[in-house]
């Protein structure tokens, strides 16, 4: 029986590096398209690695000619950089995504989009948030993510694009480097270990749904394998924690306190984001397995080795 061939765009990043193992275990033939391979990262056996960018349309077309599925993880900006340069965020991320939708539709390839559970919903009162919530993003990053979702739906209606979409919570775990503008857990831990100050925006009461990276990867694969076409799925734990609650857990693990510097809340940060994943659980059987406390311990064990080089 021929193996399903899947291309992971941006597969050398934090999420992608955990996703590859599960894709191989699912029996797929896996290829990765990424700008570069992070130093020290080992490519899993059986993965075909291609260095390049999916903005290179000729390269993208050649690769898609041989695929059954494509997972889109690549994104050129962060919420912070997108806020500073909204037009740059749109120009860097939307045109290549439209090309990907067009080319995937031509080849009848299943496309799985990794969107953003933390930014597309905006400030809502639902607890937890389900996929029926009206999207009202308050950041350029979230607006662009929403527009990408809209274009996928558009091409499904006009070009027959077969797509699914997932909206993850806040992932953390081994492989997430600190001080990169995303990833509160890793940055908080590294700040304490290296005796650096830790900046918290607002009063520390921002609520997020922290999901361990292996659970997120399993949720993505469950969506790809058993999810229903044209559907959007949240991937979270359904449990919210404030920045300060998470920080106290980290301080207890390290038996040391953070030197916190409070800055004014950022306009583009939503106050509350906890995801209802019952739709994914119902359609695929997926459930998160790693608790926040267990995940923090696993992350810390990895981070200590990472910081030592």
């Amino acid at each position: 029986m021929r193996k399903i061939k899947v291309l992971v765009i941006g597969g050398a990043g934090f999420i992608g590096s955990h996703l590859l193992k599960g894709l191989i275990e699912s029996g797929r033939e896996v290829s990765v398209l990424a700008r570069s391979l992070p130093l020290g990262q080992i490519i899993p056996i059986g993965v075909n690695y291609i260095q390049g960018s999916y903005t290179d349309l000729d390269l993208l077309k050649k690769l898609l000619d041989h695929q059954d599925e494509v997972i889109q993880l690549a994104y050129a900006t962060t919420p912070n950089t997108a806020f500073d340069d909204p037009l740059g965020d749109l120009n860097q991320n939307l045109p290549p995504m439209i090309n990907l939708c067009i080319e995937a539709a031509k080849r009848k390839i299943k496309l799985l989009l990794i969107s953003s559970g933390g930014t597309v919903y905006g400030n809502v009162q639902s607890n937890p948030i389900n996929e029926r919530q009206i999207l009202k993003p308050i950041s350029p990053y979230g607006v662009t993510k929403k527009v990408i979702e809209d274009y996928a739906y558009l091409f499904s209606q006009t070009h027959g694009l077969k797509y699914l979409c997932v909206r993850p919570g806040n992932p953390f775990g081994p492989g997430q480097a600190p001080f990169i503008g995303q990833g509160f857990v890793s940055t908080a831990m590294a700040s304490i270990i290296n005796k650096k100050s830790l900046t918290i925006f607002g009063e520390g009461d921002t609520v997020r749904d922290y999901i361990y990276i292996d659970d997120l990867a399993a949720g993505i694969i469950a969506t790809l394998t058993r999810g229903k076409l044209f559907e959007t799925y949240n991937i979270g734990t359904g449990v919210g924690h404030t920045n300060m609650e998470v920080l106290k857990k980290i301080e207890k693990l390290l038996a040391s306190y953070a030197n916190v510097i409070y800055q004014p809340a950022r306009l583009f940060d939503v106050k509350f984001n906890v995801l209802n994943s019952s739709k994914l659980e119902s359609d695929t059987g997926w459930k998160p397995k790693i608790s926040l406390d267990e995940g923090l311990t696993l992350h810390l064990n990895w981070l200590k080795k990472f910081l030592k080089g």
Side-chain angles (χ1 to χ4, degrees):
M1 187 175 181
R2 187 178 76 87
K3 286 187 175 182
I4 296 172
K5 296 182 178 181
V6 59
L7 174 67
V8 184
I9 299 174
F14 170 51
I15 296 175
S17 61
H18 287 265
L19 188 59
L20 299 181
K21 181 181 178 182
L23 289 171
I24 293 170
E25 291 175 350
S26 72
R28 286 169 167 81
E29 184 177 319
V30 182
S31 297
V32 170
L33 174 62
R35 290 181 181 274
S36 61
L37 184 67
L39 293 175
Q41 183 171 310
I42 300 173
I43 302 172
I45 295 173
V47 173
N48 177 32
Y49 176 78
I50 304 103
Q51 186 169 359
S53 172
Y54 85 116
T55 61
D56 182 340
L57 187 55
D58 289 335
L59 174 60
L60 180 67
K61 288 179 179 178
K62 290 178 182 178
L63 294 176
L64 292 181
D65 282 341
H66 306 285
Q67 306 300 323
D68 303 301
E69 302 168 334
V70 57
I71 301 173
Q72 161 54 351
L73 284 164
Y75 207 76
T77 53
T78 66
N80 193 31
T81 61
F83 185 78
D84 291 337
D85 184 8
L87 189 57
D89 176 66
L90 196 66
N91 287 336
Q92 291 179 72
N93 294 297
L94 186 57
M97 266 308 310
I98 291 175
N99 284 331
L100 177 59
C101 288
I102 292 171
E103 299 304 326
K106 285 180 181 177
R107 294 161 178 79
K108 303 187 184 305
I109 296 170
K110 183 191 291 186
L111 170 63
L112 177 58
L113 295 175
I114 312 298
S115 186
S116 170
T119 62
V120 296
Y121 288 113
N123 282 319
V124 298
Q125 300 301 316
S126 302
N127 182 15
I129 304 166
N130 64 42
E131 297 87 349
R132 295 185 300 276
Q133 175 67 44
I134 295 173
L135 306 185
K136 292 185 177 180
I138 61 170
S139 68
Y141 186 93
V143 169
T144 301
K145 288 281 191 178
K146 177 183 181 298
V147 171
I148 286 172
E149 290 188 26
D150 290 341
Y151 266 105
Y153 174 77
L154 168 67
F155 282 106
S156 74
Q157 299 299 300
T158 59
H159 292 67
L161 175 65
K162 299 187 295 182
Y163 84 96
L164 302 102
C165 178
V166 297
R167 296 173 182 155
N170 283 44
F172 73 99
Q176 187 178 52
F179 311 119
I180 59 172
Q182 287 180 299
F184 175 75
V185 168
S186 204
T187 295
M189 286 181 174
S191 296
I192 296 173
I193 292 170
N194 290 339
K195 301 187 184 307
K196 291 185 176 182
S197 60
L198 173 67
T199 299
I200 289 182
F201 295 95
E203 299 177 358
D205 56 352
T206 299
V207 177
R208 293 290 182 267
D209 189 339
Y210 292 92
I211 181 166
Y212 190 67
I213 185 60
D214 288 349
D215 282 335
L216 174 57
I220 293 171
I221 294 171
T223 302
L224 183 67
T225 305
R226 300 185 295 277
K228 298 176 182 178
L229 283 177
F230 318 117
E231 292 290 346
T232 297
Y233 295 96
N234 288 337
I235 306 182
T237 67
V239 180
H241 297 274
T242 67
N243 286 350
M244 293 310 299
E245 286 172 344
V246 174
L247 181 58
K248 286 179 181 178
K249 289 177 179 292
I250 292 171
E251 289 175 332
K252 184 177 180 181
L253 276 175
L254 286 166
S256 183
Y257 292 99
N259 175 25
V260 178
I261 296 177
Y262 292 94
Q263 295 286 352
R266 299 181 296 189
L267 296 176
F268 58 85
D269 285 334
V270 299
K271 293 288 292 180
F272 174 90
N273 189 265
V274 179
L275 302 179
N276 182 334
S277 300
S278 60
K279 179 179 174 182
L280 180 63
E281 293 181 21
S282 175
D283 285 359
T284 71
W286 171 89
K287 285 187 177 182
K289 297 179 179 179
I290 306 297
S291 68
L292 177 59
D293 288 336
E294 183 181 356
L296 289 175
T297 299
L298 293 169
H299 190 163
L300 180 58
N301 292 339
W302 170 83
L303 185 64
K304 286 179 176 178
K305 297 175 183 177
F306 173 81
L307 293 175
K308 288 180 179 179

